[in-house]
Amino acid sequence: MSDSDETVELGDLSDLADGEMRCFEDVGDYGIVVCRAAGTLHAVIDNCSHADTPLSEGRFRGHTITCPLHGAQFDVRDGSHAGPPAFEGVDVYPVSETDDGVVVTLTTSAGNRDGGYGEVGARFRTR
Ligand code: FES
């Protein structure tokens, strides 16, 4: 964790079942989506890398979030994308879950965007 990393307490998420996701709109610049897959929590930026659409409005199956706008898919474990229309992945953040609740760390190194056409996405903001 670097000095500029921010930790955010999300509270008790023991009621979040496998296959469910929950949006925290006020965390980070775009909000985050916390989802549980195979018993493990994952945190992903709530913003599709293709055209800035909330991923929390999409579908979550297995370890994959599918964007509601054009169908780009992202693996919640590492933020990687499955291919077009996304040209790059999305940010993911470390999550810890204890009896005291869930904490997410907004790391400065969370970036999973590899440049290239990703910059184009900013021209097509949908929110
Ligand atoms: S905005 Fe997500 S796939 Fe286009």
Side-chain angles (χ1 to χ4, degrees):
M1 192 167 108
S2 78
D3 291 343
S4 57
D5 291 346
E6 177 186 0
T7 59
V8 180
E9 295 181 10
L10 303 179
D12 179 14
L13 295 182
S14 60
D15 63 329
L16 191 66
D18 260 345
E20 292 183 346
M21 58 180 172
R22 190 166 300 162
C23 174
F24 293 85
E25 293 180 350
D26 298 332
V27 177
D29 292 336
Y30 293 94
I32 63 169
V33 182
V34 177
C35 48
R36 191 182 300 278
T40 300
L41 289 179
H42 302 275
V44 180
I45 191 170
D46 192 12
N47 191 54
C48 180
S49 63
H50 179 231
D52 294 331
T53 295
L55 293 173
S56 59
E57 297 176 10
R59 186 181 66 231
F60 176 50
R61 297 283 186 276
H63 289 95
T64 302
I65 287 184
T66 302
C67 178
L69 193 55
H70 308 116
Q73 295 185 316
F74 303 94
D75 189 317
V76 298
R77 294 170 289 192
D78 61 6
S80 61
H81 67 95
F87 295 100
E88 59 187 351
V90 292
D91 292 344
V92 293
Y93 306 103
V95 181
S96 66
E97 182 175 33
T98 69
D99 290 343
D100 295 329
V102 173
V103 174
V104 63
T105 302
L106 303 180
T107 63
T108 53
S109 59
N112 191 24
R113 298 184 178 217
D114 51 14
Y117 291 107
E119 296 303 314
V120 174
R123 297 182 192 164
F124 302 108
R125 298 183 71 92
T126 57
R127 62 175 175 165

